Amino acid sequence: MKIHEVELRLVSLPLVRPFRTSFGETTTKECILVRVATDEAEGWGECVCDREPDFSAEFNAGAWEVLRTFLVPALFRAGGDVSAVRVDELFASVRGHPMAKAALLNAVLDAELRASGTSLAGWLGAERDRVACGVSVGITPTTKDLLAQVEGYLSDGYRRIKLKIAPGVDVDRVRVIRERWPGILLSVDANAAYTLADLDVFRALDDLDLLMVEQPLHHDDLVEHARLQAAIRTDVCLDESIKRPADVTAAIALGSCRIVNIKQGRVGGVLAAREVHDRCRDAGVPVWCGGMLETGVGRATNLALAAMPNFTLPGDTSPSARYFPEDLTEPFVMDPDGSMAVPGGPGIGVTPVGERLDAATSVREIATANEGWLPR
Ligand code: NPG
């Protein structure tokens, strides 16, 4: 398969409601989309980082630069005759930047799979054609707002509620939700907002029958998470701390967590995500599919992964309407039973709708194998 053109687009989509976490508030999704054109098919990938380096060290302007200056040229230097399983080798001279790498690697893989008529889910060995959906509820101005949002999401059918927490908006609010709905699958996500000095908070959460507490401590830590896990009953789940497959092996060896959130973009793309899945499966550690407010392109990729066998817990794989008034692809829809279909068409199975994509795009650059980056 010969790659002859790569396109980068910076796209923005307003969210249906602001999304607040311990690290900030988002009202608009902004991300880079990558399109790879080959002699046989086109492929799409979404870069999961945001405008600012708040969740991760990567951010859109930086990822654009890394793609433009290092990663795309590395593909063309290889003669453009590239398969996704070789892409990691080509990127080896660039340290870090897993999100930028994931976007381009996933686009190459998508093109390859579309060319062979294989679905991503099938290629990954997925065992389900529907996945269970959870929803991540941002920090609300008041407890009353939180109750109203959770009530709405439960009546939509979501099978797991995840509450964002931060110091000062944690135990009391979570208790209110638990008392109102004693039987639901409920978890919390701190996005690295606490330290071991906050052990009392986690001991209090221990009494609320939570499915897990996600990324309670520093975004790059494993050792302190192991200390916390040894001190509480609730399962610790790691997200930010797992940036490549080796991290998950270390986390399991140290006892830093008992559950792992897999975000394919955070670990360098679909191939690395599969590796994380396999390592967790072999160690008996359940995983679930995280989300980064992706457009339909990233969502389709996530759904294929979430259909793999060891994804045994509902993920942050919500339908398009939970995020955007209008998605870039045909919308993903959740059934009233809280499940969503895994795309079955070739590759990721969806393609951005031309006019919606153009309306959402603020910057666009195209490189060709022969001429490099074309004038904007
Ligand atoms: O449903 O896509 C979704 C959002 C799930 O809470 C969610 N994502 O910390 O996991 C997270 C959080 C996030 C969103 C992180 C956007 C970074 C950017």
Side-chain angles (χ1 to χ4, degrees):
M1 187 182 74
K2 257 204 146 36
I3 297 171
H4 56 76
E5 188 176 291
V6 177
E7 179 182 6
L8 305 181
R9 286 178 183 249
L10 186 66
V11 299
S12 305
L13 284 182
L15 296 177
V16 288
R17 57 160 62 116
F19 185 64
R20 194 172 142 221
T21 64
S22 63
F23 60 81
E25 185 172 88
T26 314
T27 53
T28 303
K29 171 70 184 171
E30 185 190 270
C31 67
I32 301 169
L33 287 187
V34 178
R35 181 182 60 86
V36 162
T38 76
D39 49 347
E40 295 172 55
E42 286 193 345
W44 290 88
E46 175 168 340
C47 182
V48 296
C49 64
D50 217 322
R51 202 176 356 220
E52 290 167 25
D54 44 17
F55 173 86
S56 67
E58 292 181 86
F59 60 105
N60 288 338
W64 188 283
E65 184 63 22
V66 169
L67 282 158
R68 190 183 195 286
T69 309
F70 302 107
L71 303 180
V72 173
L75 279 194
F76 286 140
R77 264 200 311 278
D81 197 1
V82 169
S83 81
V85 291
R86 268 201 61 216
V87 166
D88 260 352
E89 265 169 60
L90 298 174
F91 292 170
S93 64
V94 178
R95 290 196 180 171
H97 303 285
M99 295 178 176
K101 289 175 178 172
L104 186 52
L105 183 145
N106 290 350
V108 173
L109 179 60
D110 184 37
E112 238 174 281
L113 294 176
R114 287 187 204 243
S116 68
T118 312
S119 72
L120 176 59
W123 186 78
L124 285 168
E127 285 185 342
R128 295 180 275 266
D129 58 6
R130 303 192 69 79
V131 300
C133 301
V135 64
S136 172
V137 188
I139 297 169
T140 51
T142 66
T143 305
K144 201 168 155 222
D145 298 327
L146 183 63
L147 277 160
Q149 274 197 34
V150 171
E151 175 139 48
Y153 287 137
L154 287 172
S155 68
D156 290 342
Y158 287 102
R159 298 208 197 153
R160 184 229 58 202
I161 300 286
K162 160 169 135 180
L163 305 179
K164 292 290 188 181
I165 57 168
V169 274
D170 45 37
V171 181
D172 292 349
R173 284 191 172 198
V174 181
R175 186 178 295 116
V176 167
I177 300 299
R178 175 47 91 209
E179 283 172 359
R180 173 76 182 75
W181 291 284
I184 60 170
L185 284 185
L186 183 66
S187 68
V188 295
D189 184 2
N191 286 112
Y194 296 85
T195 71
L196 279 180
D198 299 306
L199 196 53
D200 286 353
V201 172
F202 298 104
R203 292 224 160 103
L205 289 172
D206 251 351
D207 293 332
L208 300 178
D209 189 25
L210 300 178
L211 188 58
M212 70 190 86
V213 47
E214 187 180 350
Q215 196 68 37
L217 309 179
H218 191 275
H219 63 85
D220 213 13
D221 167 78
L222 294 179
V223 172
E224 292 194 344
H225 279 100
R227 292 200 182 119
L228 178 66
Q229 181 66 91
I232 61 174
R233 292 190 308 276
T234 310
D235 290 344
V236 171
C237 169
L238 289 180
D239 174 3
E240 285 93 323
S241 289
I242 308 296
K243 298 178 178 75
R244 62 192 183 111
D247 291 337
V248 90
T249 301
I252 293 168
L254 287 167
S256 315
C257 64
R258 298 192 198 122
I259 298 178
V260 171
N261 166 342
I262 299 186
K263 288 177 177 162
Q264 48 79 22
R266 192 195 66 227
V267 298
V270 166
L271 300 181
R274 181 174 63 179
E275 179 65 26
V276 174
H277 166 275
D278 291 354
R279 290 184 190 206
C280 289
R281 179 201 56 206
D282 294 348
V285 171
V287 305
W288 55 280
C289 185
M292 306 268 291
L293 309 172
E294 286 91 344
T295 77
V297 172
R299 191 154 310 283
T301 313
N302 291 348
L303 283 166
L305 261 186
M308 293 178 73
N310 195 39
F311 282 82
T312 51
L313 297 166
D316 286 340
T317 45
S318 307
S320 300
R322 180 255 174 272
Y323 309 96
F324 313 113
E326 191 172 53
D327 207 335
L328 293 179
T329 59
E330 288 310 322
F332 284 93
V333 179
M334 182 175 77
D335 275 8
D337 71 352
S339 73
M340 203 149 62
V342 178
I348 61 170
V350 298
T351 305
V353 178
E355 63 274 19
R356 289 189 212 161
L357 181 62
D358 286 342
T361 302
S362 57
V363 190
R364 183 178 175 194
E365 282 198 273
I366 295 178
T368 68
N370 297 331
E371 294 170 80
W373 294 101
L374 305 177
R376 283 193 200 184

